[in-house]
Amino acid sequence: LSLDDPAAVIFTTGSTGPPKGVFFSHLQFARQIEEIRDRFDLQPGAVDLAAFPLFGLFNCMMGITTVFPAMNYTRPATADPKRIAATIKRWNVTQSFGSPAFWNTVATYCDETDESLAPLKRVFSSGAPVPNHVLRRLLKRLDEGSDIQTPYGATEALPVASIGASEVLSETAAQSEQGKGTCVGARFPGINWQVIKVSDSAITSIESVVELPRGEIGELMVQGDVVTREYVTGTDANALHKVADGNRIWHRMGDVGYLDEQDRFWFCGRKAHRVTTLDGVLYTVPCEAIFNRHPRIYRSALVGVGPLETRRPVMIVETWPGQQPKNTADWDSLKQELLDLAQQFTHTKSIINVLWRLRLPTDIRHNAKIFREQLAPWAARQLS
């Protein structure tokens, strides 16, 4: 058996198009295990609650016991938090991976019941940016010295970076809430990365890459042993996502953001979701963060409506449960408050169309990635 031999084909979530089959060799899996184990000091004998079952495979290779909770894994946000908390205690769970939507459900329950999640010491969450309110509420329910890690990556390249909740809440959260993007942390030792000029075209060679200075938003490109080399279904995506560099292959993540002076990556959204208008380019995460500041807003989604030359940015908001508009007058009042909020920030001043939707459509893997492709046509119909 060679490390270059085929090991698996794993499909992407399809949040920006049809799911694509990604080729994995044994090398990718071996390096993933090493990088995750060493970065987080995972030791044999730990007990893991796998709210995302695929991560249970890593546990097998690290001598960690896996507990699979009773839940619908295609709808993690609907997990019974009381049962989750009881399972953690019954099996002395010390670590757990779950999506932001899963942990929001658990944290909300713990706030309502004042329940601790001990003996849980290490929480992992990814799949989409983890809201600061989830980190704050969840961290209160863990023992002193515990932390929440938010690894960043994709099916095609995992892990890429990570940051702890303690670092987020003390250093980066305030900037995120001002629309500076979501800091996903420092890269893993086996990762090389660079932020390059945004392009929707193929990049045929590394010589064609235009690297951007720190602080400037572009698209992220990564290279390393955990980075997969090709798609085996939807193979037309290889030209758009893979860049040859001698024997090495770089992967264009499809994410936009920037590197700070500490070499941390700040995620500003998916490249395909940016909205280009006559007034400039709007990025989803920085814009949505402003609308999410309103106490009645749970989450929001920026989309573009209309032809490129006259495209209008539209913000679609989902309120917290129990905070839905009671009538037209209530919605008009809430909408005006949101528009007034948007006017306070340079990058959201051009957003003058706001729509409300009971629930935003999300992926089945994490219930966290918003399907903006579905929302754009809906918004166009509402505005027409």
Side-chain angles (χ1 to χ4, degrees):
L1 180 68
S2 165
L3 285 175
D4 294 325
D5 285 345
V9 173
I10 298 179
F11 282 80
T12 62
T13 58
S15 59
T16 55
K20 299 180 288 291
V22 182
F23 172 84
F24 275 77
S25 68
H26 287 278
L27 174 66
Q28 266 103 45
F29 284 131
R31 293 292 183 266
Q32 280 182 332
I33 292 165
E34 292 171 2
E35 294 272 1
I36 293 170
R37 180 196 62 204
D38 296 346
R39 175 74 170 258
F40 304 123
D41 190 28
L42 302 183
Q43 299 291 334
V47 180
D48 181 273
L49 183 81
F52 179 51
L54 190 61
F55 271 59
L57 297 175
F58 291 131
N59 294 334
C60 296
M61 303 303 295
M62 291 186 278
I64 295 172
T65 298
T66 302
V67 175
F68 293 101
M71 59 180 282
N72 182 345
Y73 292 102
T74 67
R75 299 180 65 193
T78 66
D80 181 348
K82 182 178 180 179
R83 176 177 285 182
I84 295 298
T87 302
I88 289 171
K89 292 176 172 59
R90 178 184 178 187
W91 297 104
N92 291 313
V93 170
T94 55
Q95 65 184 54
S96 178
F97 179 93
S99 77
F102 170 83
W103 288 120
N104 179 60
T105 298
V106 173
T108 300
Y109 165 79
C110 290
D111 274 357
E112 294 170 350
T113 61
D114 196 29
E115 183 158 358
S116 166
L117 290 175
L120 188 62
K121 297 183 182 300
R122 184 181 283 111
V123 169
F124 300 97
S125 188
S126 64
V130 185
N132 293 330
H133 66 80
V134 174
L135 297 179
R136 290 190 185 99
R137 290 182 293 130
L138 194 57
L139 199 58
K140 291 190 303 182
R141 304 301 163 182
L142 304 179
D143 285 341
E144 186 176 352
S146 303
D147 205 358
I148 305 164
Q149 288 288 332
T150 59
Y152 165 75
T155 305
E156 300 93 331
L158 181 76
V160 169
S162 190
I163 191 170
S166 54
E167 183 178 352
V168 169
L169 297 176
S170 64
E171 294 185 33
T172 70
Q175 296 178 68
S176 296
E177 291 167 4
Q178 295 289 320
K180 301 298 184 182
T182 298
C183 183
V184 299
R187 59 190 171 90
F188 279 73
I191 286 289
N192 298 310
W193 63 11
Q194 52 184 306
V195 171
I196 65 175
K197 184 178 179 180
V198 175
S199 171
D200 293 314
S201 302
I203 299 176
T204 56
S205 70
I206 196 68
E207 288 77 19
S208 303
V209 168
V210 178
E211 188 172 5
L212 298 179
R214 293 184 184 277
E216 188 170 335
I217 296 178
E219 61 173 294
L220 182 65
M221 188 171 74
V222 299
Q223 184 276 326
D225 284 342
V226 301
V227 179
T228 57
R229 299 177 67 89
E230 64 176 325
Y231 298 104
V232 292
T233 70
T235 54
D236 55 328
N238 284 317
L240 293 173
H241 287 276
K242 306 299 180 181
V243 180
D245 181 11
N247 292 326
R248 302 191 302 175
I249 294 292
W250 290 78
H251 175 70
R252 299 165 69 185
M253 294 287 287
D255 292 335
V256 289
Y258 59 93
L259 295 173
D260 66 13
E261 293 302 320
Q262 297 172 248
D263 199 37
R264 298 178 301 190
F265 183 65
W266 290 71
F267 174 74
C268 293
R270 295 290 287 166
K271 180 174 69 172
H273 293 155
R274 72 192 193 281
V275 178
T276 302
T277 72
L278 292 174
D279 297 318
V281 180
L282 301 181
Y283 300 101
T284 55
V285 171
C287 292
E288 291 161 7
I290 303 307
F291 287 78
N292 294 345
R293 290 165 61 98
H294 194 287
R296 291 179 66 177
I297 301 304
Y298 170 48
R299 58 187 169 191
S300 55
L302 175 71
V303 299
V305 170
L308 185 60
E309 60 273 11
T310 57
R311 183 154 294 175
R312 288 185 289 169
V314 181
M315 189 64 74
I316 306 167
V317 298
E318 176 184 341
T319 51
W320 283 95
Q323 294 291 333
Q324 296 91 341
K326 300 177 180 62
N327 48 47
T328 301
D330 187 24
W331 165 240
D332 288 342
S333 175
L334 174 58
K335 181 165 66 173
Q336 189 58 54
E337 291 174 11
L338 292 170
L339 291 173
D340 291 343
L341 187 59
Q343 287 300 305
Q344 298 176 32
F345 296 86
T346 302
H347 66 290
T348 52
K349 278 187 174 182
S350 64
I351 302 174
I352 60 173
N353 291 288
V354 182
L355 299 172
W356 172 75
R357 185 166 164 134
L358 183 61
R359 287 187 183 85
L360 300 180
T362 58
D363 67 295
I364 63 171
R365 184 176 292 180
H366 302 293
N367 285 174
K369 295 180 179 177
I370 299 170
F371 283 133
R372 292 171 177 82
E373 287 80 4
Q374 297 178 21
L375 289 172
W378 175 84
R381 291 193 297 271
Q382 299 301 308
L383 293 176
S384 66

